[in-house]
């Protein structure tokens, strides 16, 4: 009887948690704090002509958009937000608050008589004359599954491409390139060898500046893998329906692109050998040099270990490597950068990690040899914002330059092509986001720190002098409501030498005499670093939901931490390379060492009760913490995890685990290692996750059941990738997560 009563009590605990005052208080915190800051500016966006820029900032109850005259610095309202909200509300059939418009960015269009923006990634336009809002019309490019497999069920955008003199046009008909007189006139010639299995892509057509040549890509299509999901509870319907998505996965055949060149006058085809770029992951856009005698494109070889820029002679089709990059581990595809100096094909500015740190190089594009290393040192070039070919000068951001400062803080610099006159343009122990004017003469600098709210300045791009201050963030109301910034903490990593950086968030009623379980908020994806460096909780680059969620969990009676371990980006190449074919690592040896160092300094930290939570790649890391480090981590909540990298999207996984698929994919798999589970686990998945195949979660469930492991599962019908982590009027996922941690770890003792 005693055992039966205990079981009933445990089963009743989740229901009791609905009325737990700690849970209710934490969930309510967002509404209490969310709109308390004032004049927190977000990064600026410039008009193409450079005459104006605009930005978003916090105001009472929400946000406002501000437009600035670049010459006078005069500020005005960017548009009538109330009228836009009314127009959007009519189109969306719901009430829209003008202080909380459903977009963060916009661009002026039609001579500033309309604005373009996106709602849930779909393009929209609102006119600023009669305030009519509607989804944007117009044919877009053919979708590509994660960039590497064209969706051939969607017609390509096949608009005629006019020659530079306007007399002729090129397009594709029946998979073949056709050249004819402009306006649908007489056909001059067409290729004859195109077919659905080896077609000419109309979206890649590029004329030479002199109109003598037409270049484009020919494509052998890859495997059209379709993920099918059951929509169990379609809104307004009774019966389930199916949803399909083009979703290439690791190892799948991808589109094979090859450049082909035609002489416009005769139709003579010039083939380009692919010997220098075999098995490409993807080829960049065809870019002609000014003289029309050659064109270039960048490439990445599948496997992410060889990349470069290929230059092609138009007369002969002969190709050479303008620059080549090789790596024993991986080349970070998203951080590749190449700039053709003067569009002449003689010199390139190239970003490389070949000396162990990301730096800029001046390349002789005729030979591919390095003429000069422009930047050097044990620091990292982050963003390249502007290159002035005439002045031979570059503007860029970097982190780790200043000894003693957080190495993730970004500062802005200029440097000459010869490496001289390296000038720091931003100051202070803060992180900076810059938006440069199209002419590169000025930039808007939004800077802050986790304990210093945003300030937005206009600076001179040559000297860094502040020309005007646009906004100063006001957080007095937030502080009065009880908000306190997180605590930075630095400790040595697994090697006993490398500094590992993180943040600590404590409950507002923290008592140093008590003992607190620790919960780690983890995201260890190798594509970036993730511990916020800007002001919390609603600053320009803070990750507001991330910060707020940590405080909400802390207020339950926990100490919450976030850490950037080895394997994440924005440090040295060696620091990053820890992730190569090693996603199971997730920086755990560094994270555990960091938390042990924190406990050594703070007796209130109870490492006998450590929990962890994360979504997507963070969900995978959460499960792996319980599989591979159960001696340390005792409970975890994994949202929308990519638990087996063979099941996830092709681009992210092949970038870090390589190609072809090998044993490294199995080493990180929560399915393969499910039998190792110890501790308490809650899995949360959205039925309609379009980012990570939800079958990845269900395969873990299957493996755990077969291994006879206990766990909890929450499947949300119609839920997308952010299910359980997004906020709503019910905050159901939050409540379940908070209840789980209270049951699994307890609070303060």
């Amino acid at each position: 009887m005693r055992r039966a009563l205990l079981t009933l009590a445990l089963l009743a605990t989740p229901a009791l948690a609905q009325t737990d005052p700690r849970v209710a208080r934490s969930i309510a915190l967002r509404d209490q704090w969310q709109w308390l800051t004032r004049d927190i500016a977000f990064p600026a966006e410039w008009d193409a002509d450079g005459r104006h820029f605009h930005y978003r900032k916090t105001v009472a109850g929400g946000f406002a958009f501000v437009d600035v005259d670049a010459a006078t610095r005069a500020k005005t309202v960017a548009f009538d937000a109330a009228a836009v909200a009314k127009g959007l509300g009519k189109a969306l059939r719901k009430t829209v608050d003008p202080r909380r418009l459903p977009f963060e960015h916009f661009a002026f269009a039609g001579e500033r008589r309309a604005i373009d923006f996106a709602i849930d990634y779909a393009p929209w336009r609102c006119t600023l004359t009669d305030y009519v809002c509607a989804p944007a019309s117009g044919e877009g490019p053919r979708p590509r599954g994660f960039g590497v497999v064209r969706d051939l069920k969607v017609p390509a955008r096949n608009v005629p491409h006019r020659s530079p003199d306007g007399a002729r046009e090129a397009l594709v008909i029946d998979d073949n390139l056709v050249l004819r007189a402009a306006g649908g006139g007489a056909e001059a010639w067409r290729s004859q060898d195109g077919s659905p299995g080896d077609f000419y892509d109309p979206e890649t057509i590029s004329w030479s500046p002199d109109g003598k040549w037409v270049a484009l890509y020919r494509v052998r299509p890859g495997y059209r893998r379709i993920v099918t999901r059951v929509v169990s509870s379609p809104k307004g319907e009774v019966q389930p329906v199916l949803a399909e998505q083009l979703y290439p996965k690791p190892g799948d055949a991808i589109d094979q692109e090859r450049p082909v060149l035609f002489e416009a006058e005769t139709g003579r085809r010039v083939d380009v050998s692919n010997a220098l770029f075999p098995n490409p992951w993807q080829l960049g856009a065809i870019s002609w040099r000014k003289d029309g005698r050659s064109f270039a494109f960048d490439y990445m070889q599948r496997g992410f270990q060889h990349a470069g820029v290929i230059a092609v002679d138009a007369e002969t089709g002969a190709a050479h490597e303008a620059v080549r990059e090789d790596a024993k581990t991986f080349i970070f595809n998203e951080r590749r950068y190449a700039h053709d100096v003067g569009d002449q094909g003689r010199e390139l500015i190239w970003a490389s990690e070949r000396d162990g740190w990301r730096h800029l190089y001046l390349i002789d594009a005729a030979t591919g040899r390095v003429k000069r290393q422009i930047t050097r040192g044990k620091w990292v070039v982050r963003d390249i914002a502007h290159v002035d070919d005439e002045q031979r000068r570059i503007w860029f951001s970097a982190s780790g330059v200043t000894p003693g400062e957080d190495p993730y803080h970004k500062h802005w610099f200029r440097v000459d092509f010869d490496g001289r006159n390296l000038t720091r343009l931003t100051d202070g122990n803060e992180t900076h986001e810059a938006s440069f004017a199209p002419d590169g003469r000025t930039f808007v600098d939004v800077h802050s720190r986790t304990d210093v709210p945003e300030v937005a300045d206009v600076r001179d791009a040559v000297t860094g002098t502040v020309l005007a201050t646009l906004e100063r963030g006001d957080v007095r109301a937030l502080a009065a409501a009880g908000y306190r910034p997180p605590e930075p903490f630095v400790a040595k990593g697994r090697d006993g030498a490398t500094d590992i950086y993180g943040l600590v968030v404590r409950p507002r009623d923290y008592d140093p005499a008590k003992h607190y379980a620790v919960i780690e908020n983890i995201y260890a994806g190798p594509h970036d670093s993730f511990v916020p460096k800007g002001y919390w909780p609603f600053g320009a680059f803070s990750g507001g939901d991330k910060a707020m969620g940590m405080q909400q969990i802390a207020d339950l009676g926990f100490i919450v931490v976030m850490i950037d371990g080895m394997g994440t980006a924005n440090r040295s190449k060696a620091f990053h390379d820890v992730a190569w074919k090693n996603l199971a690592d997730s920086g755990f040896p560094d994270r555990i060492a960091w938390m042990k160092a924190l406990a050594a300094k703070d007796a209130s930290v109870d490492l006998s009760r450590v929990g962890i939570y994360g979504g997507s790649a963070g969900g995978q890391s959460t499960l792996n913490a319980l599989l591979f480090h159960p001696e340390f981590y005792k409970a975890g909540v994994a949202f929308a995890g990519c638990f087996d990298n063979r099941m996830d999207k092709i681009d992210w996984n092949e970038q870090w685990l390589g190609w072809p698929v090998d044993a490294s994919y199995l080493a990180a798999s929560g399915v393969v290692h499910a039998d190792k589970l110890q501790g308490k686990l809650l899995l949360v998945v959205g039925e309609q996750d379009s980012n990570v195949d939800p079958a990845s979660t269900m395969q873990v469930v299957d493996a755990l059941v077969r291994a006879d492991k206990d766990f909890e599962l929450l499947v949300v019908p119609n839920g997308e990738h952010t299910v359980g982590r997004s906020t709503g009027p019910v905050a159901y996922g939050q409540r379940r997560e908070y209840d789980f941690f209270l049951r699994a770890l307890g609070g303060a003792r």
Side-chain angles (χ1 to χ4, degrees):
M1 178 63 71
R2 187 178 304 164
R3 183 175 181 181
L5 289 173
L6 177 60
T7 302
L8 289 172
L10 288 173
L11 290 173
T13 300
L16 293 175
Q18 295 184 51
T19 58
D20 188 315
R22 294 172 296 179
V23 173
R25 183 183 67 172
S26 286
I27 289 176
L29 186 62
R30 182 176 300 274
D31 288 337
Q32 295 170 11
W33 280 7
Q34 191 164 9
W35 312 113
L36 293 182
T37 65
R38 303 288 184 270
D39 301 326
I40 295 285
F42 289 67
E45 299 171 274
W46 288 81
D47 286 9
D49 61 12
R51 297 172 61 184
H52 289 258
F53 61 85
H54 60 269
Y55 58 89
R56 191 171 68 126
K57 74 169 187 175
T58 59
V59 296
F63 300 93
F65 289 94
V66 179
D67 188 67
V68 181
D69 184 302
T72 66
R73 317 285 198 274
K75 296 189 292 184
T76 58
V77 174
F79 52 79
D80 186 335
V84 168
K86 185 176 180 180
L88 266 179
K90 184 177 181 180
L92 296 170
R93 297 183 179 180
K94 66 179 184 180
T95 301
V96 176
D97 189 331
R99 298 168 301 175
R100 304 176 193 179
L101 294 171
F103 56 88
E104 298 181 3
H105 309 278
F106 76 89
F108 283 107
E111 297 181 345
R112 298 187 131 232
R113 291 195 292 268
I115 56 173
D116 291 337
F117 52 90
I119 300 177
D120 293 332
Y121 304 103
W124 279 71
R125 172 170 287 191
C126 281
T127 64
L128 300 182
T129 50
D130 52 6
Y131 294 96
V132 173
C133 301
S137 59
E139 187 181 54
R142 170 184 274 160
R144 298 188 188 189
F146 303 113
V148 292
V149 177
R150 291 161 173 81
D151 188 350
L152 299 184
K153 288 194 173 182
V154 178
R157 183 172 54 183
N158 193 15
V159 296
H161 292 251
R162 289 284 180 98
S163 61
D165 63 5
R168 297 167 292 179
E169 61 188 23
L171 72 162
V172 170
I173 299 176
D174 293 333
D175 299 312
N176 280 288
L177 180 67
V178 174
L179 191 137
R180 66 191 185 190
E187 185 175 308
W189 54 262
R190 73 168 61 192
S191 65
Q192 298 298 321
D193 56 346
S195 69
D198 197 5
F199 61 88
Y200 291 94
D201 185 353
E203 297 183 343
T204 65
I205 293 172
S206 181
W207 283 87
S208 63
D210 57 11
K212 187 177 179 180
W213 304 95
V214 180
L216 77 168
Y217 287 135
R218 195 170 178 184
V219 181
R220 290 178 183 153
Y223 173 55
R224 190 174 185 271
R225 180 185 293 278
I226 297 297
V227 165
T228 302
R229 300 186 296 271
V230 176
V231 185
S232 66
S233 309
K235 294 182 179 179
E237 300 181 37
V238 174
Q239 298 301 323
V241 297
L242 296 179
E244 291 187 343
Q245 179 184 359
L246 177 64
Y247 195 103
K249 294 186 178 184
D252 285 353
I254 63 177
D255 290 357
Q256 291 293 298
E257 300 174 325
R258 299 108 62 207
V260 182
L261 185 65
F262 289 88
E263 189 173 37
E265 186 65 29
T266 66
R268 177 174 66 94
R269 189 179 75 187
V270 180
D271 289 317
V272 180
S273 170
N274 68 345
L276 294 176
F277 48 97
N279 193 23
W281 168 256
Q282 194 174 42
L283 302 181
I286 292 169
S287 177
W288 284 91
R289 272 62 186 272
K290 279 184 178 180
D291 60 11
R293 297 172 62 182
S294 65
F295 66 87
F297 56 89
D298 66 279
Y299 82 98
M300 172 67 79
Q301 189 169 310
R302 192 169 188 181
F304 297 96
Q305 292 182 301
H306 307 285
V309 174
I310 300 295
V312 179
D313 181 88
E315 287 287 346
T316 66
H320 77 271
E321 290 178 318
V323 63
R324 179 181 175 91
E325 191 77 17
D326 300 291
K328 293 180 179 179
T329 55
F330 59 83
I331 297 168
F332 193 174
N333 193 35
E334 292 184 359
R335 300 284 176 90
R336 282 190 297 146
Y337 178 83
H339 171 76
D340 186 358
V341 178
D343 295 327
Q344 296 177 340
R346 298 174 185 171
E347 294 177 312
L348 289 172
I349 304 296
W350 179 250
S352 171
E353 291 182 289
R354 60 187 63 187
D355 77 345
W357 302 82
R358 188 172 189 249
H359 282 297
L360 299 176
Y361 293 78
L362 182 65
I363 305 294
D364 183 331
T367 65
R369 295 177 179 173
V370 175
K371 294 180 70 173
R372 186 171 297 107
Q373 183 170 348
I374 300 172
T375 62
R376 65 176 66 243
K378 293 184 177 182
W379 46 272
V380 179
V381 170
R382 298 283 294 272
D383 311 293
I384 299 91
H386 183 67
V387 179
D388 189 317
D389 293 333
E390 293 184 2
Q391 294 187 62
R392 296 180 69 81
R393 185 172 288 173
I394 307 166
W395 283 260
F396 66 95
S397 69
S399 55
V401 179
T402 306
E405 188 174 347
D406 187 319
Y408 294 94
H409 281 180
K410 288 168 63 173
H411 283 283
W412 291 83
F413 300 82
R414 63 172 173 83
V415 68
D416 295 343
F417 282 12
D418 60 7
R420 298 178 181 177
N421 298 318
L422 177 65
T423 303
R424 178 167 161 167
L425 302 173
T426 54
D427 49 19
N429 183 13
E430 297 176 333
T431 193
H432 298 252
E433 291 293 340
S435 304
F436 279 75
D439 62 10
R441 295 181 180 178
T442 58
F443 65 96
V444 180
D445 171 29
V446 180
H447 52 98
S448 76
R449 198 173 61 207
T450 53
D451 60 341
V452 178
E454 276 75 6
V455 174
D457 295 321
V458 179
R459 290 181 181 263
D460 182 275
V462 175
T463 64
T465 301
V466 174
L467 304 175
T469 295
L470 302 169
E471 307 288 350
R472 290 187 181 276
D474 183 346
V475 296
R476 288 174 295 180
L478 184 63
Y483 172 74
R484 296 294 179 268
E487 305 165 25
F489 185 73
V490 184
K492 299 301 180 184
R494 69 186 74 184
D495 59 4
T498 304
D499 285 336
I500 302 297
Y501 288 75
L503 292 174
V504 181
V505 178
R506 301 177 189 274
R508 285 178 289 167
D509 59 358
Y510 171 74
D511 181 350
K514 293 183 178 181
H515 294 88
Y516 295 85
V518 178
I519 297 179
E520 180 181 0
N521 173 13
I522 190 169
Y523 197 92
H527 56 279
D528 210 340
S529 54
F530 305 98
V531 175
K533 301 300 173 182
Y535 188 74
W536 287 23
F538 303 105
F541 20 78
S542 63
D545 281 346
K546 188 186 302 179
M548 179 60 72
M550 291 175 69
Q551 187 63 63
Q552 288 174 297
I553 293 174
D555 279 359
L556 297 173
F558 300 108
I559 289 177
V560 184
V561 301
M562 191 173 188
I563 309 155
D564 278 323
M566 292 185 188
T568 52
N570 301 321
R571 300 283 290 274
S572 69
K573 175 64 172 165
F575 190 100
H576 201 188
D577 277 348
V578 170
W580 175 239
K581 292 186 177 293
N582 188 30
L583 290 184
D585 182 275
S586 293
F588 282 125
D590 310 301
R591 299 168 187 280
I592 293 170
W594 187 95
M595 282 185 265
K596 287 181 177 179
L598 178 66
K601 290 190 174 183
D602 185 346
S604 70
V605 173
D606 182 359
L607 293 188
S608 70
R609 298 179 292 145
V610 178
I612 186 169
Y613 71 96
S616 195
Q620 180 183 30
S621 295
T622 294
L623 176 59
N624 286 347
L626 302 181
L627 300 180
F628 304 129
H629 301 278
E631 77 290 345
F632 191 80
Y633 294 96
K634 306 303 181 185
V637 181
F639 300 97
C642 43
F643 299 115
D644 189 310
N645 302 98
R646 298 169 297 177
M647 286 288 293
D648 194 25
K649 64 194 75 65
I650 188 172
D651 54 349
W652 194 89
N653 295 276
E654 286 196 12
Q655 165 74 85
W656 314 115
L657 294 174
W659 176 88
V661 173
D662 60 15
S664 67
Y665 285 76
L666 305 181
S669 170
V671 176
V672 172
H673 299 282
D675 62 321
K676 297 182 174 66
L677 178 68
Q678 297 183 46
K680 299 176 182 179
L681 172 67
L682 169 61
L683 298 170
V684 183
V685 64
E687 179 189 65
Q688 299 306 312
D689 191 332
S690 61
N691 186 303
V692 173
D693 186 347
S696 183
T697 295
M698 301 315 295
Q699 289 183 2
V700 169
V701 169
D702 176 63
L704 291 171
V705 169
R706 286 187 286 107
D708 198 26
K709 296 292 184 178
D710 292 334
F711 62 96
E712 298 181 33
L713 172 66
L714 171 61
V715 180
V716 180
N718 298 316
E720 247 287 359
H721 189 57
T722 57
V723 67
R725 293 171 290 150
S726 58
T727 58
V730 179
Y732 182 78
Q734 279 183 290
R735 182 179 64 76
R736 291 291 302 273
E737 176 189 8
Y738 297 174
D739 163 64
F740 174 85
F741 279 131
L742 285 171
R743 288 186 287 116
L745 299 174
R749 293 176 179 172

